[in-house]
Amino acid sequence: MPTGPSRRHPTLDEVAQHAGVSRSVASRALNNAPHVSRAKREAVQRAVRLLGYVPHPTARALATRQTGAAALVVSGEDPSIFADPFFTEVIVGASAALEEADLHLMLCLAASDRGRKRVEELMRRRGADGVMLMALREDDPLARLAEEADMPVVFGGRPIGPAPRHYVDVDNTGGAREATEYLLAHGRRRVATLCGRLDTEAGRARLRGYRDAMLSAGLEPLPPQEGDFTEPSGAAGMAALLSRHADLDAVFAANDNMAAGALRTLRAAGRTVPDDIAVAGFDDLTVARIADPPLTTVHQPVRALGQETARMLLTLINGQDPTPLILPTRLIVRASA
Amino acid sequence: MPTGPSRRHPTLDEVAQHAGVSRSVASRALNNAPHVSRAKREAVQRAVRLLGYVPHPTARALATRQTGAAALVVSGEDPSIFADPFFTEVIVGASAALEEADLHLMLCLAASDRGRKRVEELMRRRGADGVMLMALREDDPLARLAEEADMPVVFGGRPIGPAPRHYVDVDNTGGAREATEYLLAHGRRRVATLCGRLDTEAGRARLRGYRDAMLSAGLEPLPPQEGDFTEPSGAAGMAALLSRHADLDAVFAANDNMAAGALRTLRAAGRTVPDDIAVAGFDDLTVARIADPPLTTVHQPVRALGQETARMLLTLINGQDPTPLILPTRLIVRASA
DNA sequence: CCCGACCTTGGGAGCGCTCCCATTTGGAAG
DNA sequence: CTTCCAAATGGGAGCGCTCCCAAGGTCGGG
């Protein structure tokens, strides 16, 4: 019955001693580096198994100056921003990509002052090997931090302003345009938009897409009704829209949550969808399929967004210089439009 | 314009030198430990500010044998399990609690073999100061790992089998019983259940609650229709239930996703809710509110679950010995029942 | 005025690993 | 049987921090 801390956690020295080799050789064998004879390599492996040796990650990190972790930072003034199924999908994708490189995922919700301060420290002191930044808003302090940080940074979704050096984004404008065009192509003329937060690039880009489509069809875009990507804001926005334009025949919402909210308001107002009024959303997450009627929506590859963002970070960590990536969207037609 | 790595990342030695004190004093001043004169303490603070010093987390970790991070491990054979809004809420809660203790959150999806192996290493070698384990299934290998690990472990939701030493859970049985009782109290008699995965304790516990309520009312519980907590499984399960028992007048679903699926099937089958058949769910996440009709459901404090799990882990890390915690649920009555 | 008692101080030994480099070893080539 | 080169080896110096401990200072009380 082994006891004592040294017994529970053998060090590399003990392994080396046990295998009758030096620490250097043991280290090389462990990282299967060259310059180790077959015999000693096997002796080390035996000792490792026998002692149940597991390398100490922190010690390794200190010596190599690599932490073995990447951070996913989600900005926002309220942690509820994160409570969107969108992020779980992103995380699943990022996690999968990181796993291949054997990096751990640190999740930082930069929602409070304290949270932001911790992210700042992280970036100032290389608390991670790289950082993925998401959901930045206008004048987000994280943007400046990212520039000053001497560590790999990739943006998941462009921030407002000049495009950063490294980012992965989705074709927000194209998707929104396609959805709006679809509405127009099916005879709708009084098309409004429930746009998303205009202090985010995604919100603005989708609004641009809507406007582009309207103008191309020779129609005057209606003034957008701004929401914050949540269901209640969609419901409230739809009510506002209805009172302003009683004769609407279609609405493009900046995401599925808001579209679902719109549906709820329309139902309460006695309007039928899509007969009286068509509704289209954006995201194609679960909610789009379970809405009644199921939502016609712009599918965006959310999991791939996470995965590609992580991959780009990995190539950056790897010393290469990837180019930005824009992922395509596609319209999914269901019953709501 | 400072250049060179040493310039960018001053060490404690440099700070000490700058402040005209020893490294020890600088260290003490930094961690505001006692035995430092006011004058030197201030000198150190000045030097810190001047040089833009940020302590090196890894070095500190190696010296203190604490990593400054806690891991949240989500088990499951498929990463899609994680793609449930439930987890984002848990994370928001856990993140908030951890933030207060200035611990980082590492997220581990133990969905692949590789992922599980990494978790194993993490636990074997104290790659974190503590671990929160969630969504364990029957005979989950993580359970054994947790016992062997010599690090603080808290379960978020009990695993199947003997209760672990430290856990936070929700009153699943009580909530399910209450929901079923509500259905019965409103005149429903042919009440079925769309139960969740029976290889999870939550799935079993909610089934028990349903059965308890039925038996207490002198009714024979109907054989449960098992799903996997997803919307499609709810839709398919509802179809199966309908073909087996055409005369159902109520369904209790083990979570909101499945209830939403049931709603979809019922709608397609031309049954009206709640007139023909009442539906109740469990969770009270966003989907419950946006379903049509809005779901009567058992509210569980998901964010608090995350928060309390993290808090319990913190007290454990702190050397204390907390007792298990069961959080209450409450029925939220909406239009579906 | 002297002597403990206590607060300060800084030296130094790690924490466990990686990696450079000098040294030894084993052969292949001449 | 030398000569040399490459592979193999292990010693040792860090990585940047914490913390123990011995040494020096300051003060109050006897």
Side-chain angles (χ1 to χ4, degrees):
Chain A
M1 195 89 187
T3 32
S6 70
R7 194 81 198 77
R8 291 190 76 79
H9 283 317
T11 69
L12 188 55
D13 279 292
E14 300 180 65
V15 171
Q17 200 173 348
H18 224 86
V21 303
S22 74
R23 186 166 16 92
S24 307
V25 170
S27 173
R28 260 173 255 141
L30 220 69
N31 301 304
N32 42 64
H35 304 310
V36 181
S37 68
R38 187 191 175 101
K40 304 225 166 186
R41 195 179 291 275
E42 283 170 358
V44 170
Q45 285 163 353
R46 253 195 312 276
V48 163
R49 231 164 314 148
L50 183 69
L51 274 59
Y53 171 78
V54 182
H56 193 301
T58 308
R60 184 176 291 197
L62 183 60
T64 59
R65 322 186 110 286
Q66 303 208 35
T67 62
L72 174 57
V73 176
V74 180
S75 186
E77 61 218 347
D78 180 339
S80 296
I81 294 213
F82 178 73
D84 188 309
F86 176 86
F87 289 108
T88 51
E89 284 289 336
V90 170
I91 289 174
V92 169
S95 168
L98 256 27
E99 190 176 294
E100 285 175 35
D102 212 41
L103 284 189
H104 282 288
L105 209 209
M106 296 183 40
L107 193 58
C108 307
L109 306 192
S112 61
D113 281 339
R114 182 144 190 185
R116 273 184 289 273
K117 213 177 128 198
R118 296 177 67 210
V119 169
E120 182 173 344
E121 254 182 35
L122 188 85
M123 296 186 70
R124 276 215 198 294
R125 207 36 165 144
R126 277 191 110 87
D129 295 342
V131 173
M132 295 173 274
L133 252 31
M134 310 204 87
L136 268 61
R137 286 157 312 156
E138 194 164 20
D139 300 323
D140 202 306
L142 287 179
R144 201 172 40 77
L145 264 179
E147 283 179 10
E148 293 174 359
D150 65 333
M151 70 178 355
V153 175
V154 175
F155 287 78
R158 270 164 294 190
I160 283 180
R165 186 134 182 57
H166 305 289
Y167 66 88
V168 179
D169 204 353
V170 157
D171 182 12
N172 286 307
T173 304
R177 189 189 308 118
E178 190 179 355
T180 310
E181 282 168 351
Y182 178 85
L183 295 171
L184 295 169
H186 285 70
R188 310 291 173 164
R189 278 298 167 273
R190 297 285 294 164
V191 183
T193 187
L194 282 164
C195 72
R197 295 183 62 125
L198 294 179
D199 60 352
T200 68
E201 179 58 22
R204 292 189 185 181
R206 292 177 196 173
L207 177 56
R208 275 200 300 277
Y210 157 80
R211 284 192 171 138
D212 285 359
M214 291 293 277
L215 292 172
S216 297
L219 295 171
E220 183 66 22
L222 296 177
Q225 173 66 36
E226 184 174 353
D228 64 358
F229 293 123
T230 64
E231 196 266 354
S233 79
M238 189 69 239
L241 234 33
L242 236 33
S243 70
R244 218 158 53 217
H245 312 283
D247 58 342
L248 286 183
D249 59 11
V251 174
F252 165 62
N255 76 347
D256 291 341
N257 286 340
M258 292 178 68
L263 247 31
R264 179 156 62 90
T265 294
L266 290 169
R267 196 182 304 132
R271 311 273 184 129
T272 63
V273 176
D275 297 337
D276 292 349
I277 183 165
V279 175
F282 204 114
D283 276 358
D284 194 29
L285 294 171
T286 305
V287 55
R289 263 171 299 137
I290 71 178
D292 176 32
L295 285 171
T296 288
T297 189
V298 180
H299 173 87
Q300 59 169 333
V302 185
R303 200 174 288 197
L305 175 65
Q307 197 158 3
E308 295 300 338
T309 304
R311 284 212 184 115
M312 185 173 288
L313 185 61
L314 289 173
T315 73
L316 217 45
I317 289 174
N318 215 29
Q320 296 169 55
D321 186 33
T323 54
L325 185 61
I326 307 256
L327 300 173
T329 58
R330 66 171 198 279
L331 188 69
I332 305 287
V333 177
R334 297 209 182 85
S336 74
Chain B
M1 192 90 187
T3 32
S6 71
R7 195 81 198 77
R8 290 192 76 79
H9 283 317
T11 69
L12 188 55
D13 279 293
E14 300 181 64
V15 171
Q17 200 173 347
H18 225 86
V21 303
S22 75
R23 184 165 19 91
S24 307
V25 169
S27 173
R28 260 174 253 137
L30 221 69
N31 301 305
N32 42 62
H35 306 308
V36 180
S37 67
R38 187 190 174 104
K40 304 227 166 186
R41 194 181 292 274
E42 282 170 359
V44 169
Q45 286 164 352
R46 253 193 312 276
V48 164
R49 229 163 315 147
L50 183 68
L51 296 166
Y53 171 78
V54 182
H56 193 301
T58 307
R60 182 176 288 191
L62 183 60
T64 59
R65 321 186 112 288
Q66 303 208 35
T67 62
L72 175 57
V73 176
V74 180
S75 187
E77 62 218 343
D78 180 339
S80 295
I81 294 214
F82 179 72
D84 188 312
F86 176 86
F87 288 108
T88 51
E89 284 290 335
V90 169
I91 289 173
V92 168
S95 167
L98 254 28
E99 190 176 296
E100 284 175 36
D102 211 41
L103 285 189
H104 282 288
L105 209 209
M106 296 185 37
L107 193 58
C108 307
L109 306 191
S112 62
D113 281 339
R114 182 145 190 185
R116 273 182 289 273
K117 212 176 126 198
R118 296 176 68 210
V119 170
E120 182 173 342
E121 252 181 38
L122 188 85
M123 297 186 71
R124 277 213 199 296
R125 211 29 170 154
R126 278 191 108 88
D129 294 342
V131 173
M132 295 173 274
L133 251 32
M134 311 204 86
L136 269 61
R137 286 156 314 157
E138 195 164 19
D139 301 322
D140 202 306
L142 288 179
R144 201 172 41 76
L145 264 179
E147 284 179 11
E148 292 174 0
D150 65 333
M151 70 178 356
V153 175
V154 175
F155 287 79
R158 272 166 292 191
I160 282 180
R165 186 133 181 58
H166 305 288
Y167 66 86
V168 178
D169 204 352
V170 157
D171 182 12
N172 285 307
T173 304
R177 189 190 306 119
E178 189 179 357
T180 310
E181 280 168 353
Y182 178 85
L183 295 171
L184 294 169
H186 285 72
R188 310 291 173 164
R189 279 299 168 269
R190 299 283 296 162
V191 183
T193 186
L194 282 164
C195 72
R197 295 183 63 127
L198 293 179
D199 61 351
T200 67
E201 179 58 22
R204 292 188 185 182
R206 291 176 196 173
L207 177 56
R208 274 201 300 279
Y210 157 80
R211 285 192 171 138
D212 286 358
M214 291 294 276
L215 292 172
S216 297
L219 294 171
E220 184 65 21
L222 296 177
Q225 174 67 35
E226 184 173 352
D228 64 357
F229 293 123
T230 64
E231 196 268 352
S233 81
M238 190 69 240
L241 234 33
L242 237 31
S243 71
R244 217 156 57 214
H245 312 283
D247 58 342
L248 286 183
D249 59 11
V251 174
F252 165 62
N255 76 346
D256 290 342
N257 286 341
M258 291 177 68
L263 248 31
R264 181 156 61 91
T265 294
L266 290 169
R267 196 182 303 132
R271 311 273 183 127
T272 62
V273 175
D275 297 337
D276 293 349
I277 184 166
V279 174
F282 203 113
D283 277 358
D284 194 29
L285 295 171
T286 306
V287 53
R289 263 170 300 137
I290 70 179
D292 177 32
L295 286 171
T296 288
T297 190
V298 180
H299 174 87
Q300 59 169 331
V302 185
R303 200 175 287 197
L305 175 65
Q307 197 158 2
E308 294 299 339
T309 304
R311 284 211 185 117
M312 186 173 288
L313 185 62
L314 289 172
T315 73
L316 217 45
I317 289 173
N318 216 27
Q320 297 168 53
D321 186 32
T323 54
L325 186 60
I326 307 257
L327 301 173
T329 58
R330 67 172 197 279
L331 188 69
I332 305 287
V333 177
R334 297 207 182 86
S336 76

